C-alpha cells in the first residue's frame, strides 16, 4: 500500500529542513515538537481509485503521521471549495482503509487549536458568559465518589502516588484524594504554555516525590488534544514507576490527537468549552462548584 518513501522521524529540537505545503503545517509541527509528540510529514499515500487497467487514479496522502499513536492527521485549513473535495476523499479513505485512523482538522478546528495554545488570542478580552450547567455540584460529587471507590479497589496493597496537574486540578484533586481510602503520597506538576517561537517546554512545577518503584496515578481536570498529557507521561515514565495511569475528570474525546490511555474518566463531553470546578476561561470561574458551558464560539 505504501507509495512514497518515509522521511526520517523527527526528534524534538532537531527538525530537518522540511518543505511544508502550507505555513499552518509548519506551525502544527512546532506544536507537536513542543509536546514531544513524534511525527512524520506525508509519510504514506493510500490508493483510493484505480482505472480498469489497474493504474492508480486517485490517492490520499495525509499531512502528518503521529508515530506513537498510529494516527494520521489531515489539516484542511484551505478554501471552503476544497473542503468538499477533501471530505469526499476522506469518506473513500474510511471505506477502503477502515483500519487506518485519520483525523481531520478543518479551518475552524485549527483556529480553535491555535487559540487554545495561545498562538492567536481571542479577539477582545471579554470573559465569556456561562450558557448552561453541564454537571451540577451534586453530579460532580457523586461521580468523584465513584472514582475514588474504584481507585481504592484497584490500588489496594500498592504504593500509590497521586500527581495532580496544575492549575485546574485543584478542586478535583482535593475531593478525589479524600475519597481514596488508602495510604497515598501526593505531588503536583505544572507545564509552561506553548510558545510559537521555539521556546522549549518547561516544568514550572517539577516533581518532588521519588516515584521509582511506585504506582503513579496522574490526575487531570480535562483531556482535550492529549498533547500535554503525552508530554507529562513521557516525563514520568523516565522516572522508573511500576505503572502510570491517568484519571481525568473530563474527557473531550472528539478533540483527541494524541490518543493517550485514560484509565479513569469522570465524564465524556463534546467539543464545548467548559468552566468551573477548577476549569477557567481567562482565569475566571475556577471557583465554581459546578461545571458549566460558556456562551458562543471560541472564536
Ligand atoms: P490538551 O493538551 O489539549 O489535552 O490540553 C488540556 C488542557 O487544556 C487542560 O488541562 C485545560 O487547561 C485546557 N482545556 C481544554 N479544554 C478546556 C475547556 O473546555 N475549559 C477549560 N480548559 C480547557
Ligand atoms: Mg491542565
Amino acid at each position: 500500500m505504501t507509495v512514497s518513501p518515509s522521511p526520517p522521524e523527527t526528534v524534538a529540537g532537531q527538525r530537518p529542513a522540511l518543505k511544508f505545503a502550507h505555513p499552518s503545517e509548519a506551525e502544527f509541527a512546532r506544536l507537536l515538537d513542543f509536546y514531544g509528540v513524534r511525527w512524520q510529514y506525508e509519510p504514506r499515500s493510500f490508493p483510493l481509485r484505480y482505472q480498469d487497467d489497474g493504474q492508480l487514479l486517485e490517492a490520499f496522502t495525509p499531512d502528518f503521521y503521529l508515530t506513537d499513536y498510529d494516527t494520521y492527521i489531515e489539516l484542511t485549513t484551505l478554501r471552503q471549495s476544497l473542503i468538499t473535495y477533501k471530505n469526499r476523499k476522506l469518506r473513500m479513505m474510511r471505506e477502503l482503509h477502515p483500519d487506518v485512523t485519520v483525523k481531520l482538522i478543518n479551518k475552524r478546528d485549527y483556529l480553535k487549536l491555535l487559540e487554545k495554545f495561545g498562538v492567536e488570542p481571542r479577539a477582545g478580552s471579554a470573559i465569556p458568559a456561562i450558557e448552561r450547567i453541564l454537571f451540577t455540584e451534586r453530579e460532580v460529587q457523586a461521580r468523584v465518589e465513584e472514582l475514588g471507590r474504584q481507585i481504592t479497589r484497584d490500588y489496594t496493597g500498592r504504593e500509590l502516588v497521586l500527581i495532580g496537574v496544575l492549575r485546574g486540578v485543584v478542586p478535583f484533586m482535593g475531593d478525589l484524594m479524600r475519597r481514596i481510602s488508602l495510604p497515598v503520597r501526593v505531588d503536583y506538576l505544572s507545564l509552561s504554555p506553548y510558545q510559537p517561537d521555539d521556546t522549549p517546554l518547561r516544568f514550572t512545577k517539577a516533581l518532588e516525590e521519588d516515584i521509582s518503584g511506585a504506582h503513579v496515578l496522574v490526575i487531570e481536570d480535562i483531556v482535550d488534544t492529549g498533547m500535554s498529557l503525552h508530554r507529562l507521561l513521557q516525563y514520568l515514565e523516565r522516572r522508573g514507576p511500576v505503572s502510570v495511569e491517568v484519571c481525568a475528570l473530563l474527557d473531550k474525546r472528539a478533540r483527541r490527537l494524541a490518543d493517550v490511555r485514560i484509565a479513569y474518566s469522570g465524564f465524556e463531553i463534546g467539543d464545548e468549552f467548559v468552566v468551573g470546578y477548577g476549569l477557567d476561561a481567562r482565569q475566571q470561574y475556577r471557583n465554581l462548584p459546578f461545571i458549566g458551558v460558556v456562551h458562543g464560539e471560541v472564536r
Side-chain angles (χ1 to χ4, degrees):
M1 251 191 322
T2 305
V3 173
S4 55
S6 304
E9 229 172 62
T10 57
V11 177
Q14 247 184 273
R15 248 190 332 274
L18 270 173
K19 278 196 196 67
F20 290 105
H22 197 271
S24 61
E25 294 173 349
E27 181 73 60
F28 186 70
R30 267 199 297 276
L31 196 61
L32 294 172
D33 280 348
F34 183 81
Y35 287 105
V37 178
R38 292 184 300 165
W39 55 271
Q40 291 175 274
Y41 184 61
E42 297 189 342
R44 190 167 164 187
S45 287
F46 298 90
L48 295 182
R49 211 149 54 86
Y50 295 92
Q51 259 173 357
D52 290 341
D53 62 5
Q55 203 189 312
L56 185 64
L57 268 184
E58 200 175 2
F60 179 60
T61 310
D63 299 315
F64 288 89
Y65 177 62
L66 308 186
T67 54
D68 299 316
Y69 299 99
D70 196 16
T71 298
Y72 290 87
I73 309 274
E74 177 65 6
L75 279 181
T76 318
T77 57
L78 309 157
R79 277 170 292 127
Q80 191 58 43
S81 59
L82 282 166
I83 292 188
T84 320
Y85 170 69
K86 280 244 183 152
N87 281 339
R88 190 183 63 80
K89 270 198 164 186
L90 215 74
R91 256 200 320 278
M92 287 173 76
M93 179 70 201
R94 295 206 162 116
E95 273 166 34
L96 297 167
H97 307 277
D99 50 322
V100 178
T101 307
V102 184
K103 302 210 169 168
L104 180 72
I105 302 182
N106 62 30
K107 183 160 188 173
R108 178 177 160 274
D109 297 336
Y110 187 69
L111 292 175
K112 277 172 83 171
L113 201 68
L114 290 187
E115 179 182 315
K116 180 236 157 79
F117 287 107
V119 182
E120 273 174 40
R122 203 176 306 195
S125 58
I127 292 152
I130 295 173
E131 189 182 74
R132 67 195 151 86
I133 293 177
L134 195 58
F135 302 111
T136 63
E137 178 172 11
R138 190 190 284 257
E139 286 168 333
V140 170
Q141 292 301 329
R143 188 68 188 116
V144 172
E145 190 177 343
E146 280 171 11
L147 289 172
R149 258 205 306 271
Q150 214 179 328
I151 292 166
T152 302
R153 201 184 327 113
D154 294 352
Y155 285 92
T156 297
R158 295 181 179 176
E159 185 191 345
L160 178 61
V161 185
L162 303 178
I163 300 179
V165 185
L166 296 172
R167 287 176 247 178
V169 82
V170 169
F172 179 43
M173 186 76 161
D175 290 338
L176 181 69
M177 71 165 88
R178 284 178 290 178
R179 300 292 186 185
I180 298 175
S181 313
L182 296 171
V184 292
R185 283 185 287 148
V186 172
D187 202 346
Y188 294 92
L189 276 176
S190 176
L191 297 180
S192 64
Y194 172 71
Q195 303 291 329
D197 61 1
D198 282 348
T199 306
L201 176 146
R202 283 179 308 122
F203 283 84
T204 49
K205 159 73 180 74
L207 198 68
E208 291 167 75
E209 287 300 306
D210 177 10
I211 58 168
S212 67
H215 293 271
V216 167
L217 191 55
V218 177
I219 316 294
E220 267 277 20
D221 48 2
I222 186 165
V223 182
D224 185 12
T225 66
M227 296 223 268
S228 24
L229 195 52
H230 169 90
R231 185 63 186 84
L232 273 167
L233 296 177
Q234 217 174 38
Y235 171 88
L236 293 172
E237 265 150 19
R238 280 194 217 110
R239 283 162 175 74
V242 180
S243 72
V244 183
E245 297 292 351
V246 176
C247 171
L249 179 68
L250 301 171
D251 180 359
K252 235 190 239 188
R253 272 221 69 83
R255 300 235 312 160
R256 196 65 34 82
L257 297 175
D259 203 1
V260 287
R261 200 163 71 88
I262 300 177
Y264 305 92
S265 154
F267 305 97
E268 191 172 315
I269 65 167
D271 186 3
E272 294 181 297
F273 200 81
V274 292
V275 296
Y277 199 62
L279 293 153
D280 75 300
R282 302 182 159 251
Q283 297 306 329
Q284 291 299 314
Y285 302 129
R286 289 194 197 272
N287 55 329
L288 298 176
F290 58 87
I291 295 170
V293 177
V294 298
H295 189 70
E297 274 290 299
V298 176
R299 285 197 127 248

